[in-house]
Amino acid sequence: MKISEAAKILEGTILCCEEFQDKEVTAACGSDMMSDVLAYAKDQAVLITGLCNPQVIRTAVMMDMLCIIFVRGKKPTDEMIELAKERGIVLVSTPRRMFSACGKLYSAGLVSGGY
Amino acid sequence: MQDCVHLEYRVDGQNFVSAGSATESVKTFLKGMGVNPQDVRRVAIAMYEGEINMVIHANGGYAYADIYVDKCIITLVDTGKGIKDIDLALQPGYSTASDEVRALGFGAGMGLPNMKKYADECIIESEVGKGTKVTLVTRFD
Ligand SMILES: Nc1ncnc2c1ncn2[C@@H]1O[C@H](COP(=O)(O)OP(=O)(O)O)[C@@H](O)[C@H]1O
Ligand SMILES: [Mg+2]
């Protein structure tokens, strides 16, 4: 699905890099522990997380991810948005919680890309 | 092209905004060299964990990258508190990180295991009170 569709399913707001919202993504990974993302993520283009700090953006960069979805209405700081913009990573904020955000996207066809 | 490119970075301690910038710079360089994406990512993950460790456990240090056509050697050197028991520190889940660090999404005790997992060679040398040196060798496919 397109990043824009994922945002819509989650009633989310795109916070930056709208120009990339039509990019296609097929797999996602949900975690609040960045070391787990680094250890287990493979080619998931989307990171769903409740953690909100600059290291989330850095982690996504290391994993070549295209989009980060912040759950529970978390709003990244201007500093984080700046970091993401420079790297072309789409940031989305959704009021949904982790479980329901992951569930919604999974039922809509996004896969986990791992075990 | 030269036989070897040497890159150097100062890594600030306790700076949770800049942490990872040295790794990003190396990653960008390798990508630009045309190294295959899987290998670039392996270097990035291992180096990033090491860089974060210097930030959170050692009050910063220096990162060096020696890049050859067929491999990359990352060296992370700090003069921090050192690691008393390296075998123990290598156990998945072992961590002395503070709650503050955990709140950042690190401190799960997966850093050193991740470095071992992704680098072809991971050599850890450390002396309590003197510092730590981590060498990560990644060979390109
Ligand atoms: N550069 C370092 N200087 C001092 N201690 C370190 C360093 N790197 C790792 N350690 C020690 O090894 C432990 C395990 O490291 P790691 O696997 O990265 O887990 P974490 O960083 O999540 O605690 C750390 O909690 C710390 O006690
Ligand atoms: Mg660590």
Side-chain angles (χ1 to χ4, degrees), chain A:
Chain A
M1 69 177 73
K2 289 184 182 3
I3 291 174
S4 56
E5 293 173 73
K8 198 168 167 215
I9 289 166
L10 299 178
E11 297 144 77
T13 317
I14 296 181
L15 305 169
C16 72
C17 298
E18 292 86 354
E19 66 270 35
F20 301 127
Q21 65 177 328
D22 288 336
K23 279 197 182 171
E24 281 291 332
V25 292
T26 53
C29 139
S31 181
D32 287 353
M33 288 309 297
M34 294 304 108
S35 278
D36 281 352
V37 176
L38 295 167
Y40 302 113
K42 283 203 92 73
D43 278 310
Q44 292 88 341
V46 180
L47 173 61
I48 306 160
T49 186
L51 191 71
C52 195
N53 67 49
Q55 295 310 313
V56 177
I57 318 279
R58 299 271 188 205
T59 301
V61 172
M62 302 308 165
M63 305 309 283
D64 308 298
M65 288 167 156
L66 305 177
C67 169
I68 304 171
I69 298 173
F70 296 97
V71 296
R72 300 193 294 279
K74 294 263 166 84
K75 288 276 183 323
T77 59
D78 291 346
E79 197 173 44
M80 289 170 64
I81 291 177
E82 215 33 61
L83 271 174
K85 261 191 191 159
E86 286 166 15
R87 290 153 183 83
I89 296 177
V90 184
L91 299 187
V92 177
S93 177
T94 171
R96 289 200 172 269
R97 296 188 197 163
M98 179 64 102
F99 183 74
S100 88
C102 292
K104 282 267 175 194
L105 293 177
Y106 199 96
S107 353
L110 215 56
V111 299
S112 76
Y115 181 61

Side-chain angles (χ1 to χ4, degrees), chain B residues 49 53-54 56-58 78 81-83 89 94-97 106-113 132:
Chain B
E49 289 282 11
N53 277 356
M54 288 205 295
I56 65 184
H57 302 297
D78 67 61
K81 61 180 188 288
I83 305 172
Y94 177 83
S95 175
T96 59
F106 290 91
M110 290 305 294
L112 296 178
T132 302

Side-chain angles (χ1 to χ4, degrees), chain B residues 111-128:
Chain B
L112 296 178
N114 271 353
M115 285 147 82
K116 274 253 180 253
K117 175 175 169 183
Y118 287 102
D120 291 312
E121 280 172 58
C122 167
I123 304 150
I124 302 164
E125 297 156 272
S126 190
E127 204 176 316
V128 173

